[in-house]
Each structure stands twice: as structure tokens, then as C-alpha cells.
Amino acid sequence: MLAALLTARQEARGRSAEELVALADLKALPAWTPEQLEPYRQLLEKEGRAEGAERIRRAQDWLREHPVQLDAEA
């Protein structure tokens, strides 16, 4: 799920400007925690995208068990 968020090629299609900003903020982070995904999950709920919000909630559950950190780009 995280890979899909971070590597989507047509990410602008069907997404609000607010969501694109939230995704850009997430992509800029070197690591993700469940707490960092919470504003994005809340945004999806606010926009009436319950399925997307549920996917983020599942990702948050997974991150609690498997912390993720990206290598710094050269």
C-alpha cells in the first residue's frame, strides 16, 4: 500500500489538490510512522473516500509492527 502511494504514475488523476500536497509531504519524509499517516487518513475520510481511509488505517497497523525508513538519496 505504501509503495502504491509513493510510486503512483498517474497520482494527480482523481485526487484533490489538498491530497496531492499531503502526499508530497509524506514522500518528503525519510521515515513513516502511523502518526504521520493520520492526517492523510483523516483527509480521505473528510473527502468521503472511506475505502482509501481504511487502506491507510491498515498501513498504520502494519507500520506499528514494521517501521519503514528510506535510504538517503545520493
Side-chain angles (χ1 to χ4, degrees):
M1 197 297 298
L2 287 172
L5 279 175
L6 299 173
T7 61
R9 292 187 183 268
Q10 294 182 338
E11 68 182 35
R13 181 175 287 176
R15 294 188 174 170
S16 68
E18 190 175 4
E19 182 180 358
L20 290 174
V21 169
L23 277 174
D25 289 346
L26 286 173
K27 288 179 182 183
L29 296 172
W32 296 281
T33 65
E35 296 76 23
Q36 290 167 319
L37 291 175
E38 184 61 16
Y40 184 58
R41 187 193 65 74
Q42 290 176 356
L43 173 64
L44 293 177
E45 280 187 351
K46 180 179 121 186
E47 291 182 349
R49 299 178 55 202
E51 290 179 19
E54 177 57 22
R55 282 193 298 274
I56 299 300
R57 190 201 55 76
R58 288 194 313 264
Q60 288 173 302
D61 290 345
W62 187 87
L63 282 170
R64 285 183 183 90
E65 299 290 323
H66 309 90
V68 173
Q69 184 160 344
L70 296 177
D71 292 332
E73 291 186 26

